[in-house]
Amino acid sequence: MRRRAVGVTDERLLEAVRVTPRAEFVPAEHMASAYRDTPVPLPHGQVTTQPSLVAMMVSALGLTGGERVLEVGTGYGWQTALLAHLAAYVVSVERWPELVEEARRRLAGQGHDNTAIVLGDGTLGLPARAPYDAVIVCAAFPEVPEPLVAQLRSGGRLVQPIGPGGHERVELYQRRAHGLVHRATVTSAYFVRLYGAHGYDQH
């Protein structure tokens, strides 16, 4: 399995990947590519993250089952579905209304009722549901948006691609009393840019 090849050994995560059909979370015209380890195009110039990279990022969060997770960037919801298998509750913020509706529909079709897909600026997080035990950001910016740090509980983990968009290091951080502490570089990868009030200008 490709996920094992990239060093993912968490059996709960591997099982979640096995039972979550990626074909249900990609546009119909790209269904033939659903089970290749490649990104898949989405509307509005977005792309899904390739499965092995998703597995590496989710694995870095170290989820054990009781966590409240904030996801920034929903896409069609495949990563959201994996998180829903692994955590108690997932709040996912997506900036495109069309993707919000698609993700809600697709997640409901798979029976996931412990997720909330919210239309909004992901760089602001969602303070009404905070604090979060884990945060995962699916787009690139040179620094972690401050609201996401503020909404992460002490001891919680955050994974984000750090860079300008197009060539990043996926970094793992942990929240401490004085702020974020860098724990590890997960991998190098390519991501779209993170837009919002604490990201790149949307205009």
Side-chain angles (χ1 to χ4, degrees), residues 57-58 61-72 79-80 82-93 114-118 126 129-138 151-153 157-159:
M57 293 175 69
V58 171
L61 293 176
L63 301 174
T64 59
E67 295 89 356
R68 177 181 292 263
V69 180
L70 173 65
E71 177 185 46
V72 176
Q79 178 175 275
T80 319
L82 296 182
L83 294 167
H85 275 287
L86 299 168
Y89 193 69
V90 183
V91 177
S92 188
V93 184
N114 62 333
T115 62
I117 313 302
V118 179
L126 197 66
R129 307 282 178 94
Y132 301 99
D133 302 294
V135 176
I136 186 165
V137 183
C138 307
Q151 293 168 40
L152 184 62
R153 72 162 178 80
R157 292 182 166 205
L158 181 147
V159 171

Side-chain angles (χ1 to χ4, degrees), residues 105-197:
R105 181 176 67 80
R106 291 163 188 264
L107 287 160
Q110 294 295 308
H112 294 294
D113 58 2
N114 62 333
T115 62
I117 313 302
V118 179
L119 177 66
D121 178 351
T123 70
L124 298 175
L126 197 66
R129 307 282 178 94
Y132 301 99
D133 302 294
V135 176
I136 186 165
V137 183
C138 307
F141 193 62
E143 60 191 37
V144 178
E146 190 54 41
L148 304 186
V149 180
Q151 293 168 40
L152 184 62
R153 72 162 178 80
S154 181
R157 292 182 166 205
L158 181 147
V159 171
Q160 178 183 316
I162 300 296
H167 185 67
E168 279 66 55
R169 296 181 321 279
V170 179
E171 305 287 13
L172 168 65
Y173 300 92
Q174 191 166 33
R175 174 74 192 272
R176 291 301 184 203
H178 59 280
L180 287 184
V181 175
H182 180 258
R183 289 300 186 202
T185 297
V186 178
T187 188
S188 296
Y190 298 91
F191 280 84
V192 297
R193 284 185 160 190
L194 179 66
Y195 289 95

